[in-house]
Amino acid sequence: MESSDTMTYDVVGAGFGPANLSLAVALQERREGGTPRPTAAFFERKPQLGWHRGMLLPGAKMQISFLKDLVTFRNPASPFSFVSYLHAMGRLPQFVNNQDFFATRQEFHDYLEWAEAKLAHQVTYGAEITQIRPPASGRRGEAIEHLEVEVRGDSLPGGTRVLTAHNIVISTGLVPRMPAGVQRDERVWHSSEFLDRFTAWNPGELNRVAVVGAGQSAAEVVRYLHDALPDASITAILPPYGYALADNTPFANRVFDPSAVDDYYYGSERSRDVIWQHHRNTNYSVVDDEVIKGLHERVYGDEVAGRNRIEFLNLSRVCGVKRAADETRVTVMSVATEETRELDVDVLVCATGYDPMNPAPILGELDSLCLRDARGRYRVERDYRIATAPELRCGIYLQGGTEHTHGLTSSLLSNLAVRSGEIVASLLDRRK
Ligand code: FDA
Ligand code: NAP
């Protein structure tokens, strides 16, 4: 049985991670000359709010200042700020005394939950948006003034709900990427599911673990395994010679400023390429200073103790995995010689990164009304709305998946507060 709403929402949000949480706050805070606040409903497929829980490793730090929270860059006086959270928790003086711009991921997660609790009435959990489509009653070529949203999940009466909306904001997040041809299973994990998988095992059965990748996830997982499995041997398989430093120096960090979005968006194809070439190392395939140092200290400590617990296979990539019953055989190729070798492990952790958000599957037939550039990527307006064929009058906004148009902050937290404000302003403008 399908349940249907009769009202048409101004906006429906797909996903309720930090991006749409920030949008929900921006909608809440927007009051303009007595205009009624846009009506909104958000749907999240997880059973509760969770921000990369599989990587909520003890001691893991945020990669941005606590001031780049859900709101502060748009509204420093917001009651949803990280500072307001600290105040509410009675920890503001201690946080300041701690003299660290970078909170732990656990504390930031707690902040997100605190903010979410004030807006929970707008969110349905355990509810996946499976399709967004033109209304069934519409005729081909006619103007489309609202969209139908199909939601599925055990939390819904009858398992399905269909509602209508004038605008959709898709914030469904990054998609875990595995090495080509490698499938996930109980012994071959992606880092995004690391803690869920790890805690389901008896640590005593994990004697040989390999971790693939040279980014922040890989380094954090290797560090964690070194501490959690004192008797195991750990193999780190990484393409460069060693973990490289994430550039978070002050001038380079300007690439995450709200104004950098305009520089990128209105720049030429060439200037965008230059920005990528110079600043990819602020985020991708790089590791924070503190994690590199912590890991090196552990490796050196092992050397002093006369035992080598982490083996580094550098200049190496994983190019295949053979699985049979309890056996997991990894094929590792040297990027220097192209020779391969085989490695038997109990578990392989692929910290091999993520693909950008891809809205095409839930857009279904609507996708053909979304305009694309010569390279097949969505054309996206400055207000994060996909450029669409003229008959589609509804807004389909993206939070994520816009690195080609809006730059590096697309999948990050740095610009959430400002971006959400810009989307709300656009929704209100278009409503007029
Ligand atoms: P996010 O992935 O958080 O949320 C998307 C949500 O949509 C998910 O909850 C998902 O379940 C839901 N969803 C997906 N499809 C759905 C559907 N069809 N229907 C309903 N729900 C659906 N960045 C940064 O700036 N600073 C940092 O410190 C970090 N730290 C960090 C740690 C780790 C381990 C990772 C992997 C990434 C980061 N990042 C980061 C980058 C990260 O992308 C960013 O922090 C946010 O998660 C982006 O928020 P979003 O809401 O866009 O995606
Ligand atoms: P990433 O930065 O994209 O790194 C993926 C790594 O995997 C790269 O080193 C890549 O090497 C390597 N790789 C890919 N395929 C491989 C293969 N077949 N064999 C060997 N190596 C392979 O991904 P990430 O580390 O998951 O980071 C993603 C995002 O999450 C970043 O924004 C990061 O900052 C964030 N993050 C944050 C935290 C935190 O806040 N504490 C923790 C974890 C992650 P190549 O580049 O050579 O392909």
Side-chain angles (χ1 to χ4, degrees):
M1 202 184 73
E2 206 171 70
S3 94
S4 294
D5 292 33
T6 45
M7 77 179 273
T8 299
Y9 288 89
D10 287 313
V11 53
V12 161
F16 207 64
N20 266 349
L21 173 54
S22 170
L23 181 76
V25 177
L27 285 165
Q28 167 103 353
E29 293 189 340
R30 184 76 185 207
R31 295 225 177 107
E32 225 185 39
T35 342
R37 189 185 295 150
T39 50
F42 295 89
F43 295 90
E44 166 55 55
R45 68 181 172 193
K46 289 182 193 146
Q48 61 189 6
L49 182 111
W51 178 56
H52 305 299
R53 281 183 192 270
M55 280 292 291
L56 220 43
L57 301 170
K61 300 289 274 293
M62 293 297 295
Q63 298 205 288
I64 47 164
S65 154
F66 68 96
L67 293 170
K68 292 188 174 180
D69 57 16
L70 297 169
V71 290
T72 297
F73 273 35
R74 184 190 70 253
N75 177 13
S78 168
F80 285 89
S81 69
F82 191 77
V83 171
S84 298
Y85 155 79
L86 289 172
H87 182 65
M89 295 295 138
R91 276 204 308 270
L92 185 53
Q94 293 89 320
F95 184 85
V96 173
N97 291 341
N98 203 38
Q99 298 186 15
D100 194 343
F101 253 42
F102 302 94
T104 62
R105 288 199 58 235
Q106 266 159 344
E107 187 173 26
F108 201 79
H109 200 287
D110 195 55
Y111 156 65
L112 295 175
E113 289 177 307
W114 168 85
E116 184 267 355
K118 302 182 192 189
L119 298 161
H121 58 284
Q122 292 184 32
V123 195
T124 308
Y125 287 99
E128 176 166 4
I129 293 194
T130 45
Q131 205 181 45
I132 302 166
R133 58 189 178 224
S137 56
R139 296 216 189 102
R140 212 178 164 74
E142 257 182 18
I144 301 170
E145 304 284 354
H146 64 267
L147 295 168
E148 270 183 16
V149 182
E150 180 189 87
V151 192
R152 290 181 184 270
D154 294 341
S155 67
L156 305 169
T160 310
R161 179 173 162 192
V162 175
L163 61 159
T164 56
H166 292 299
N167 298 284
I168 312 288
V169 182
I170 303 178
S171 313
T172 48
L174 296 164
V175 181
R177 186 198 304 135
M178 295 292 284
V182 175
Q183 305 298 325
R184 291 201 230 174
D185 68 14
E186 71 282 3
R187 287 177 184 270
V188 180
W189 315 337
H190 186 266
S191 55
S192 55
E193 56 185 343
F194 175 73
L195 279 178
D196 311 292
R197 292 284 192 185
F198 183 81
T199 50
W201 276 78
N202 170 1
E205 290 176 69
L206 298 175
N207 299 313
R208 301 160 304 167
V209 183
V211 182
V212 197
Q216 182 75 15
S217 298
E220 284 186 10
V221 168
V222 171
R223 181 180 65 172
Y224 177 83
L225 289 172
H226 184 274
D227 297 351
L229 300 177
D231 299 319
S233 74
I234 301 157
T235 307
I237 305 167
L238 56 159
Y241 194 77
Y243 300 109
L245 188 63
D247 183 353
N248 70 353
T249 50
F251 290 108
N253 222 47
R254 290 181 178 187
V255 76
F256 300 115
D257 288 355
S259 59
V261 175
D262 279 341
D263 294 334
Y264 195 88
Y265 188 86
Y266 296 112
S268 62
E269 197 68 35
R270 197 177 152 77
S271 72
R272 288 199 272 266
D273 283 349
V274 170
I275 293 175
W276 269 105
Q277 278 164 26
H278 283 290
H279 297 293
R280 191 180 186 278
N281 70 342
T282 51
N283 187 51
Y284 290 109
S285 310
V286 286
V287 182
D288 280 351
D289 184 27
E290 196 188 350
V291 178
I292 293 180
K293 280 195 186 130
L295 202 45
H296 199 270
E297 268 166 24
R298 285 166 173 80
V299 172
Y300 184 70
D302 287 343
E303 271 183 36
V304 173
R307 55 196 293 249
N308 185 10
R309 292 195 37 225
I310 307 182
E311 184 191 11
F312 289 94
L313 299 184
N314 62 7
L315 303 177
S316 298
R317 300 188 79 85
V318 163
C319 57
V321 175
K322 287 188 209 105
R323 285 276 295 110
D326 292 352
E327 285 175 21
T328 305
R329 181 159 291 177
V330 186
T331 309
V332 181
M333 190 186 74
S334 159
V335 296
T337 63
E338 297 198 355
E339 282 168 12
T340 58
R341 61 181 277 189
E342 312 250 273
L343 181 73
D344 289 320
V345 295
D346 297 318
V347 155
L348 179 72
V349 186
C350 296
T352 42
Y354 295 80
D355 287 324
M357 181 180 94
N358 177 17
I362 56 172
L363 287 175
E365 65 173 286
L366 264 184
D367 200 51
S368 62
L369 298 178
C370 297
L371 307 184
R372 293 186 179 253
D373 67 13
R375 287 163 68 178
R377 303 167 303 186
Y378 288 111
R379 279 180 46 201
V380 188
E381 307 288 351
R382 176 61 183 81
D383 60 2
Y384 300 93
R385 199 165 43 88
I386 301 183
T388 54
E391 65 263 36
L392 182 57
R393 306 274 170 82
C394 312
I396 302 172
Y397 292 82
L398 301 181
Q399 298 215 72
T402 59
E403 279 191 337
H404 61 296
T405 48
H406 292 69
L408 264 163
T409 52
S410 168
S411 66
L412 302 176
L413 304 177
S414 333
N415 198 38
L416 281 193
V418 172
R419 182 174 70 196
S420 299
E422 289 171 345
I423 292 175
V424 172
S426 169
L427 290 170
L428 292 173
D429 269 3
R430 285 166 48 79
R431 191 164 68 166
K432 279 182 208 150

